């Protein structure tokens, strides 16, 4: 729809719901539109590098599925998801855990249309207008977008360089909460990883809290050393709601993710999903299963890790080379993001306007805060930019920061 069509729509006197009137567009998606121009060095998107998509495997898997099970692959299917994929996911999350042998049941697994849908479904079944929702400071802006449709009152949980601070979860802070949303691995936007002791503390908290702790984990496999920390799910399998995704380890266009939840909540999520989209596409679920079932991820994921580790190293080296004193950033051990703090007087929304004029782009930090924002922060993604361009882009950005100090 072009701009003139939009004008026609808004000229109508249709009444939108209160909810729809409060909707805002994702700042990242709006910025991405500008940065799609080829001359722009864009550190904006959380898009995986397309070179990592296993295209040939997908093609072969699709051929086999259409040859061997065309009717089932193209037919409506169960809301819960394709059973062999649910079984594969349950098995993947089962095994020796921090507190003995963990067994996740396939009946706990719901396949979702990306983990973004999982966030929406959780909002739908858990959140009422004005109910408190606990989020990290800062947090994934797409989660804020999803939950906001259900009109919560956000409560920011304090964090430090090691992530969410469990001891901050006092009765005063958590009173009446409907959920706590956390990302323990290479958090979007900060790239932080939650230490094992804090995971234990949060899992223990979940065991006595009257609301679920959501563990959103799309980046867990992408730790550069290949030494993943135990999930909170493995520490409290009946109290943690775990979200997973094939977007960052296979391809996001498939739109296949999942929720592992205790059966009582699972049942409600299934009902909510039925009303939303009946089920995640039968065909893409089968493609994912066909591709992963024989251990493909065990060889594929290390190639993604190696690529991102090198790109990350290039970005950290460029930041160290060019950024003036007073600018700080974290050194992620995995994932796709570096989080940068510039001197307090610089508003990164304004900085972005100048940066785009210089053909370099980043995501300002403010939209990642549920309430009070830190305007001197920004997120850099390094995964889709080759090292020489990373260097050139950071040099330009550093010059703009320097000019404002
Ligand atoms: C923290 C987090 N959760 C969820 C998602 C949604 O991922 P998808 O819907 O592709 O599984 C993203 C995407 O970037 C993310 O960063």
């Amino acid at each position: 729809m072009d701009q003139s069509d939009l004008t026609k729509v808004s000229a109508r006197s249709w009444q939108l719901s209160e909810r729809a009137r409060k909707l805002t567009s994702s700042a990242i998606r709006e910025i991405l539109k500008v940065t799609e121009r080829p001359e722009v060095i864009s550190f904006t998107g959380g898009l995986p590098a397309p070179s990592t998509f296993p295209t040939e495997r997908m093609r072969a898997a699709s051929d086999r599925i259409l040859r061997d099970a065309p009717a089932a692959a193209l037919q409506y299917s169960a809301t819960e998801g394709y059973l062999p994929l649910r079984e594969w996911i349950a098995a993947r999350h089962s095994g020796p855990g921090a507190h003995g042998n963990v067994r996740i049941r396939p009946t706990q697994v719901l396949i979702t249309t990306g983990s973004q849908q999982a966030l929406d479904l959780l909002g739908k079944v858990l959140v009422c207008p004005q109910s408190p929702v606990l989020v990290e400071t800062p947090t994934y802006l797409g989660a804020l977008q999803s939950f906001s449709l259900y009109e919560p009152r956000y409560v920011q949980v304090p964090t430090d360089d090691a992530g969410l601070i469990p001891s901050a979860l006092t009765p005063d802070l958590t009173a009446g909460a409907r959920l706590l949303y956390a990302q323990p691995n290479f958090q979007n936007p900060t790239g932080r990883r939650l230490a094992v002791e804090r995971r234990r503390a949060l899992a223990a908290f979940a065991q006595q809290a009257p609301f679920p702790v959501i563990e959103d984990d799309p980046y867990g496999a992408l730790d550069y050393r290949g030494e993943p920390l135990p999930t909170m799910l493995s520490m409290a399998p009946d109290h943690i709601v775990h979200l997973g995704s094939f977007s960052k380890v296979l391809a996001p266009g498939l739109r296949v993710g999942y929720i592992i939840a205790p059966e009582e909540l699972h049942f409600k999520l299934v009902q909510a999903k039925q009303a939303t989209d009946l089920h995640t596409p039968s065909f893409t679920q089968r493609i994912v299963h066909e591709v992963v079932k024989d251990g493909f991820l065990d060889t594929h994921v290390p190639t993604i890790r190696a690529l991102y580790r090198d790109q990350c190293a290039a970005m950290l080296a460029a930041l160290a080379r060019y950024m003036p004193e007073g600018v700080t950033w974290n050194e992620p051990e995995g994932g796709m993001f570096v989080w940068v703090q510039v001197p307090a007087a610089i508003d990164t929304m304004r900085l972005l306007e100048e940066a785009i004029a210089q053909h370099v782009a980043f995501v300002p930090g403010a939209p990642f805060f549920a309430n009070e924002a830190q305007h001197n922060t920004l997120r850099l993604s390094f995964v889709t930019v080759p090292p020489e361009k990373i260097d050139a882009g950071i040099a330009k950005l550093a010059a703009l920061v320097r000019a404002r100090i």
Side-chain angles (χ1 to χ4, degrees), residues 91 163 216 294 302 322 337 362 389:
D216 186 11
D294 297 323
Y322 299 116
F337 307 111
F362 58 84
K389 281 201 170 177

Side-chain angles (χ1 to χ4, degrees), residues 313-363:
M315 178 160 280
L316 295 176
L319 286 165
R321 191 172 308 129
Y322 299 116
M323 280 295 171
E325 212 163 301
V327 178
T328 56
W329 57 90
N330 65 323
E331 302 208 343
E333 297 170 299
M336 299 172 41
F337 307 111
V338 176
W339 182 245
V340 179
Q341 280 193 297
V342 295
I346 301 179
D347 180 338
T348 54
M349 282 285 190
R350 309 271 291 272
L351 187 69
L352 178 63
E353 289 165 23
E354 293 174 19
I356 286 178
Q358 299 284 320
H359 298 160
V360 59
F362 58 84
V363 184

Side-chain angles (χ1 to χ4, degrees), residues 209-285:
F211 54 84
V213 171
I214 315 295
E215 175 176 51
D216 186 11
D217 193 23
Y219 304 105
L222 302 181
D223 71 298
Y224 303 148
R225 284 198 298 261
E227 293 165 2
L229 297 181
T231 60
M232 294 191 290
L233 178 73
S234 73
M235 298 171 177
D238 289 316
H239 297 87
I240 297 287
V241 174
H242 182 96
L243 310 189
S245 175
F246 292 97
S247 290
K248 316 294 177 181
V249 292
L250 280 183
L254 293 163
R255 309 306 303 131
V256 180
Y258 55 91
I259 310 182
I260 301 176
E263 274 88 351
E264 316 86 89
L265 181 62
H266 168 90
F267 183 64
K268 277 288 145 201
L269 293 165
V270 170
Q271 288 177 328
K273 180 169 166 67
Q274 224 158 43
T276 304
D277 67 350
L278 299 182
H279 61 81
T280 294
S282 319
F283 190 35
T284 54
Q285 291 189 63

